Amino acid sequence: MSDIPASHPRYKSLITREQLAGYAKSGVVSMEGLTSHGRGEAFDYLFGEKTSASALEAEKLGARVLLAAKHPVLSINGNTAALAAKEIAQLQKASGAEVEVNLFHRTDERMTLVTNLLEEAGCIVSKGPVERCVPLPHARGLCRPDGIGSADVVLVPLEDGDRCEALVSMGKLVITVDLNPIDRTSKTATLPIIDEVTRALPNIALECDRLKASGETVTMPEIDARYFLSQAVKDIQEFLSHALD
Amino acid sequence: MSDIPASHPRYKSLITREQLAGYAKSGVVSMEGLTSHGRGEAFDYLFGEKTSASALEAEKLGARVLLAAKHPVLSINGNTAALAAKEIAQLQKASGAEVEVNLFHRTDERMTLVTNLLEEAGCIVSKGPVERCVPLPHARGLCRPDGIGSADVVLVPLEDGDRCEALVSMGKLVITVDLNPIDRTSKTATLPIIDEVTRALPNIALECDRLKASGETVTMPEIDARYFLSQAVKDIQEFLSHALD
């Protein structure tokens, strides 16, 4: 029931905001999550709101990592579920990864809301008792011991830098999806994908499908995280150099 | 009642988000406003979270414009009130400008909440009947005919590009405060101040106080908006060139 006029030049972005605001009202997205989304919007603006060549390379590498993993898990928070529930289901199907819900602002009610949203979109969500497996203060260290706790590869879209760092410190291979190439999340990741989540996840899924169809034996690839970060920074600088033309 | 651990490296930013989330719960800030705040956060990050030399120049020029104006008005929305009510009161006192509330997501209840917040911080808020003075569809064109409607100078912190453009089209001199130098708000403004609102407003107020104390006759200055935009873009590019060091 939007009252944003369709003539508004940023109509699409405002409508997405309004949808997320609706998810905040229902409790799927935390209010702090709305602000995080805004940070992402700003960086996406600086990429011209499209997947860069190096981000697509990172996404294809991400597909190899997921297929080569022994126990890959997609760690999903409220924002990711609200923005990309269908895309998560598509990636789960293509990669065979577990889906586990993990919330920064964790309550039983939000866990249920996010889980339901994912299941309605076709995800198979791993549930069960959690323990403080991740070395973090507060409820943020909680996860399933036989899920994220024992995963060798974890994909964490729109993740906090603190938690990303903690997962890496546990020896896990961590793939992030985040539009800011210079924050701790991207800088800490084993494989930083600098792209918008609804563009990134389908690209990873399509490459999983392609690799499986090819019959190729997929092995764990070498990853040059620094390359992806510096290419993303270069892309933003290039965008800025024409932004006032 | 924050449960964010003080050990979190982005503690301060997360606490500000939490405060704004509180204002969203009480209705001062719209949920869409939380997302807008996130966009600002992202750009402030790219300025190293400090006022640049050129932003300070713009703020000093803004003080001259406000003092030289015949009828200056500070147009205040929910985010600006939530972030900077005290700073608005300080600037009103220093500049003698009217304060008028203007909301993108306008309801009578929010108008009252924002007005109360400003008055509690010491602002004198102009109230009274509104008409569609600004050429915009929807309630966003509403303002007081004897306030923003007849102002020669309007300061619009954290304003939407559409409304900024409409005010300029009415022949008004429009000063914006916005951290994004390449969006329509900043590009359209007569005087774009590219800075964070709680830093910018006190800088303008201090310069108003200094100019008044100096006894100088303040006349309307020449403004090179393009200079402020291009300096801000250069500052971001410079920050990015060291961001991965």
Side-chain angles (χ1 to χ4, degrees):
Chain A
M1 304 301 262
S2 173
D3 57 0
I4 298 165
S7 59
H8 194 289
R10 296 198 45 261
Y11 181 74
K12 191 184 160 193
S13 169
L14 293 172
I15 288 293
T16 301
R17 280 191 210 179
E18 196 168 77
Q19 287 170 340
L20 274 185
Y23 278 117
K25 281 169 194 152
S26 69
V28 169
V29 167
S30 72
M31 296 222 185
E32 291 78 3
L34 292 179
T35 312
S36 302
H37 177 68
R39 291 171 74 99
E41 276 186 18
F43 278 96
D44 203 18
Y45 190 81
L46 296 174
F47 286 109
E49 295 179 338
K50 60 178 196 286
T51 300
S52 70
S54 61
L56 186 58
E57 281 183 75
E59 287 153 5
K60 289 182 175 178
L61 209 55
R64 286 185 182 270
V65 170
L66 287 172
L67 291 184
K70 290 195 184 74
H71 180 192
V73 178
L74 315 181
S75 171
I76 305 301
N77 62 20
N79 276 33
T80 309
L83 290 166
K86 272 190 306 185
E87 290 83 352
I88 296 161
Q90 180 194 0
L91 179 56
Q92 178 173 39
K93 197 174 168 191
S95 68
E98 262 196 288
V99 169
E100 183 172 329
V101 176
N102 201 287
L103 304 179
F104 191 108
H105 298 277
R106 185 187 189 106
T107 63
D108 289 344
E109 190 198 352
R110 284 194 68 220
M111 289 296 290
T112 302
L113 285 168
V114 174
T115 299
N116 290 349
L117 174 61
L118 291 169
E119 288 180 341
E120 280 161 25
C123 296
I124 298 161
V125 180
S126 295
K127 287 167 275 194
V130 291
E131 293 175 15
R132 195 183 300 268
C133 304
V134 182
L136 282 175
H138 178 48
R140 294 169 54 231
L142 297 176
C143 69
R144 293 171 54 252
D146 52 347
I148 290 171
S150 58
D152 57 340
V153 169
V154 189
L155 175 82
V156 284
L158 312 180
E159 187 52 83
D160 168 71
D162 224 17
R163 184 153 178 271
C164 178
E165 199 166 42
L167 290 168
V168 169
S169 78
M170 294 170 77
K172 299 183 191 301
L173 195 164
V174 177
I175 308 171
T176 55
V177 180
D178 193 296
L179 282 152
N180 181 345
I182 62 172
D183 78 354
R184 231 159 33 93
T185 300
S186 297
K187 282 180 171 176
T188 309
T190 321
L191 173 55
I193 294 174
I194 317 295
D195 199 5
E196 196 275 327
V197 68
T198 66
R199 297 195 301 264
L201 300 186
N203 285 342
I204 304 171
L206 287 173
E207 180 69 1
C208 285
D209 289 338
R210 192 193 68 77
L211 285 167
K212 288 191 297 182
S214 76
E216 179 184 339
T217 305
V218 178
T219 55
M220 197 56 82
E222 291 292 309
I223 300 168
D224 182 358
R226 174 84 190 182
Y227 164 78
F228 295 116
L229 300 179
S230 60
Q231 282 301 122
V233 167
K234 277 183 201 161
D235 288 339
I236 293 177
Q237 288 183 310
E238 170 67 16
F239 182 84
L240 282 171
S241 69
H242 301 291
L244 296 176
D245 292 350
Chain B
M1 303 300 262
S2 173
D3 57 1
I4 297 165
S7 59
H8 193 288
R10 296 199 45 262
Y11 181 73
K12 193 183 158 192
S13 169
L14 292 172
I15 288 293
T16 300
R17 278 191 210 179
E18 196 167 79
Q19 287 169 341
L20 274 185
Y23 277 117
K25 280 170 195 153
S26 70
V28 169
V29 168
S30 72
M31 295 222 186
E32 291 78 4
L34 293 178
T35 312
S36 301
H37 176 69
R39 291 171 75 99
E41 276 186 16
F43 278 96
D44 203 18
Y45 190 81
L46 295 174
F47 287 110
E49 296 180 338
K50 58 179 196 288
T51 300
S52 70
S54 61
L56 186 59
E57 280 184 74
E59 287 153 8
K60 290 182 174 177
L61 210 55
R64 286 185 181 271
V65 170
L66 287 173
L67 292 184
K70 290 194 184 74
H71 180 191
V73 178
L74 316 181
S75 171
I76 306 300
N77 62 20
N79 275 33
T80 309
L83 290 167
K86 273 190 306 187
E87 291 82 355
I88 296 160
Q90 180 194 0
L91 179 57
Q92 178 173 39
K93 198 173 169 191
S95 67
E98 262 197 288
V99 168
E100 183 171 330
V101 176
N102 200 288
L103 304 180
F104 191 110
H105 297 277
R106 186 186 188 106
T107 64
D108 289 345
E109 190 197 353
R110 284 194 67 220
M111 288 298 288
T112 302
L113 285 168
V114 173
T115 299
N116 290 348
L117 174 62
L118 290 169
E119 289 181 340
E120 280 161 25
C123 295
I124 298 161
V125 180
S126 295
K127 286 167 275 194
V130 291
E131 293 175 15
R132 196 183 300 266
C133 304
V134 182
L136 281 175
H138 178 47
R140 294 170 54 230
L142 297 176
C143 68
R144 292 171 54 252
D146 52 347
I148 290 171
S150 59
D152 57 340
V153 169
V154 189
L155 175 82
V156 284
L158 311 180
E159 188 52 83
D160 168 69
D162 224 17
R163 185 154 178 271
C164 179
E165 198 166 44
L167 290 168
V168 169
S169 78
M170 294 170 76
K172 300 182 189 301
L173 195 163
V174 177
I175 308 172
T176 55
V177 180
D178 194 296
L179 282 152
N180 181 345
I182 62 171
D183 77 354
R184 230 158 35 95
T185 300
S186 297
K187 283 180 170 175
T188 308
T190 323
L191 173 54
I193 295 174
I194 317 294
D195 199 5
E196 196 277 327
V197 68
T198 66
R199 296 195 302 265
L201 300 186
N203 285 342
I204 304 170
L206 287 173
E207 180 69 1
C208 285
D209 289 338
R210 192 193 69 75
L211 285 166
K212 287 191 296 181
S214 75
E216 178 184 340
T217 305
V218 178
T219 55
M220 198 55 82
E222 291 291 309
I223 300 168
D224 181 358
R226 175 84 191 184
Y227 164 78
F228 295 116
L229 301 179
S230 61
Q231 282 300 122
V233 167
K234 278 183 200 161
D235 288 340
I236 293 177
Q237 288 183 310
E238 169 67 16
F239 181 84
L240 282 171
S241 69
H242 301 291
L244 295 177
D245 291 352

